[in-house]
Amino acid sequence: MTFGFAPSSAASLSTSPASAHRVLEPAEWAAAGIPLLRNPREVVSGLHARHRPGPATAVVAVLDPDERLRASASFVRRATPADGWMFRNALLAQLRRVIPHDLRRRTPVRTAVLLYCREGDARWTEEDGAWMWGLRDACTLHGLRCGAYITLTRDGWQVLGEGRGGRRPSAVSAPEALGTTESRPPSPRTGGPASEVLSRAAAR
């Protein structure tokens, strides 16, 4: 499997040597054994309809073993250098708000996926690598399986590391109607530490 590379405007601001170690390259991500989504388009369409993300918006979601949505939250990334450690902290804060941890389980049964809406095309960027690092670490600290990382651009959606994607939904398309049989995730708890790097939006 081959991957393209495109420089990220946010990533270009990062000059700290430490931040370079908080990025996962596409080959590392592909070798990490990330579970495949059975129906990625359904997951993407559901999150897009629920959160209607705009550019620089991240949507983290927790799925049960049957890929039913149990909780999700969206927040906006501020224009700061891409750093996996900072992204990890922001994702972990969101997960703690919307769903209890599974650290008492020997084996994780729920999976967290991340949908990130950004400018540019679907090619991997260093910013994507920082989100991958942050998602993997946040899942470990919350007792979850690390799931797919999905980008949403004007061209459509792409599951990075898998080569699966589609034209709809996209960053500029209108959200599709949610299915009437879909169960809504639990209401988010209020409070929790606010990230200084990312401004949070309420979970929908």
Side-chain angles (χ1 to χ4, degrees), residues 96-179:
R96 286 170 174 166
R97 287 179 57 241
V98 299
I99 199 164
H101 67 73
D102 278 347
L103 293 172
R104 293 184 180 87
R105 293 182 178 273
R106 289 189 175 185
T107 304
V109 296
R110 296 186 290 192
T111 303
V113 300
L114 179 60
L115 173 71
Y116 183 56
C117 181
R118 61 168 172 77
E119 302 289 351
D121 56 32
R123 291 178 297 171
W124 182 90
T125 67
E126 188 175 330
E127 182 184 20
D128 294 325
W131 279 116
M132 290 171 167
W133 191 98
L135 176 63
R136 185 188 64 177
D137 220 42
C139 288
T140 298
L141 295 174
H142 207 63
L144 302 169
R145 295 172 74 197
C146 180
Y149 172 70
I150 306 158
T151 58
L152 189 70
T153 66
R154 290 177 174 270
D155 297 330
W157 58 272
Q158 178 84 12
V159 184
L160 293 194
E162 296 183 21
R164 293 192 290 175
R167 292 185 177 181
R168 292 186 62 86
S170 72
V172 294
S173 65
E176 300 177 7
L178 284 170

Side-chain angles (χ1 to χ4, degrees), residues 1 25 30 50 66 117 173:
M1 185 178 297
E25 298 284 343
R50 190 175 297 277
D66 295 322
C117 181
S173 65

Side-chain angles (χ1 to χ4, degrees), residues 3 33 44 52 103 113 165:
F3 297 87
V44 173
R52 304 188 181 190
L103 293 172
V113 300

Side-chain angles (χ1 to χ4, degrees), residues 63-87:
L63 309 177
D64 69 11
D66 295 322
E67 288 194 1
R68 289 190 298 262
L69 181 64
R70 290 305 177 199
S72 63
S74 61
F75 53 97
V76 177
R77 178 193 186 284
R78 291 181 179 171
T80 55
D83 189 323
W85 184 78
M86 304 294 262
F87 291 171

